[in-house]
Amino acid sequence: MSKAALLKIDNLTCIRDDRVLFEHLSLSLYSGQMLIVEGQNGSGKTSLLRILTGLKMADEGHIFWHQNAIAEHNSDYHERVTYVGHHDGVKRDLTCLENLRLVQAMGNPSTVDPDNALEQVNLYRYGNTLVSNLSAGQRRRLALARLIVTEADLWILDEPYTSLDKVSMALFQSIFEAHLKRGGIIVMTSHHDIEMPTVNLIRLDLSA
């Protein structure tokens, strides 16, 4: 484990509609660690993830990546982050391959070919299929395939197991474990009971 935190959250506060979702939140994540954000609906789980991605501003506090404030090094930070939200975020009027090629063109592409990525998530024979013709589970697997076709140290995932069957959940759990073993970190929410004995896993309950 790295001696210095890759991601540091310092005194973070989030207020929505005059209600404090969380305040004075501080924690550090190191290479190979996974943070599971838990809590009741409305406790601020998705808000925290959106703050970490830069899609939402915190009301107070700072976020540091490699000891640099992301507010001052925004572009460098975003090159190292891949975010998959609660909604799939895939374009339904494009094919599976076209979606992954677009993700690579707009981001920091990995060395993994989109065809190979589709094979890894059991969608290879759907490469030329329009996303509008896929099932909910297939669309979710395609959304998560962006983790494979982009190069990022930090994965931020909002309910990644939504619409996945047990086989697909196990598949992506192995992908998550491999990412952590390479030294990456993961921040995710999930209503599923996550048990990963080989992973340095931290839990944060925003309802507490």
Side-chain angles (χ1 to χ4, degrees):
M1 182 181 296
S2 172
K3 293 182 179 179
L6 292 184
L7 180 69
K8 181 178 179 181
I9 298 171
D10 181 36
N11 201 37
L12 219 59
T13 295
C14 177
I15 301 172
R16 186 177 66 191
D17 299 328
D18 297 323
R19 183 170 70 90
V20 177
L21 296 182
F22 53 82
E23 60 183 340
H24 311 309
L25 176 62
S26 296
L27 60 87
S28 296
L29 289 177
Y30 297 82
S31 174
Q33 285 189 320
M34 180 177 191
L35 174 67
I36 304 291
V37 183
E38 303 173 328
Q40 300 174 354
N41 290 339
S43 61
K45 302 186 298 296
T46 294
S47 293
L48 175 58
L49 265 57
R50 288 175 63 84
I51 289 171
L52 292 178
T53 61
L55 295 174
K56 176 180 174 62
M57 295 294 294
D59 292 278
E60 292 183 16
H62 303 279
I63 300 169
F64 298 89
W65 177 252
H66 285 280
Q67 305 179 55
N68 295 314
I70 68 170
E72 300 172 6
H73 300 82
N74 193 279
S75 60
D76 292 340
Y77 174 67
H78 284 290
E79 287 183 358
R80 310 312 308 165
V81 176
T82 295
Y83 171 59
V84 179
H86 184 65
H87 299 290
D88 297 323
V90 292
K91 296 188 179 296
R92 294 185 175 228
D93 57 342
L94 298 180
T95 68
C96 292
L97 278 173
E98 288 170 339
N99 266 278
L100 294 187
R101 288 168 182 158
L102 180 62
V103 167
Q104 287 192 319
M106 296 178 63
N108 188 22
S110 71
T111 58
V112 178
D113 182 84
D115 279 299
N116 182 264
L118 290 179
E119 186 171 7
Q120 289 187 50
V121 301
N122 296 325
L123 286 175
Y124 182 76
R125 65 190 182 100
Y126 296 96
N128 294 315
T129 301
L130 290 176
V131 170
S132 58
N133 294 324
L134 299 180
S135 69
Q138 290 168 335
R139 289 196 301 272
R140 195 57 177 167
R141 278 185 275 148
L142 177 63
L144 290 167
R146 77 185 63 172
L147 301 171
I148 302 172
V149 299
T150 56
E151 194 72 43
D153 299 316
L154 171 58
W155 291 358
I156 300 177
L157 313 173
D158 196 357
E159 298 291 341
Y161 295 130
T162 297
S163 300
L164 296 184
D165 57 23
K166 290 184 178 180
V167 172
S168 296
M169 288 176 63
L171 166 67
F172 282 103
Q173 182 165 307
S174 67
I175 291 174
F176 298 161
E177 290 174 341
H179 176 67
L180 296 170
K181 288 178 181 179
R182 291 192 297 268
I185 58 178
I186 299 174
V187 178
M188 64 181 280
T189 65
S190 180
H191 286 111
H192 293 82
D193 186 18
I194 306 299
E195 296 295 338
M196 299 173 68
T198 64
V199 168
N200 188 342
L201 192 152
I202 301 169
R203 298 183 185 273
L204 170 66
D205 189 349
L206 292 180
S207 298

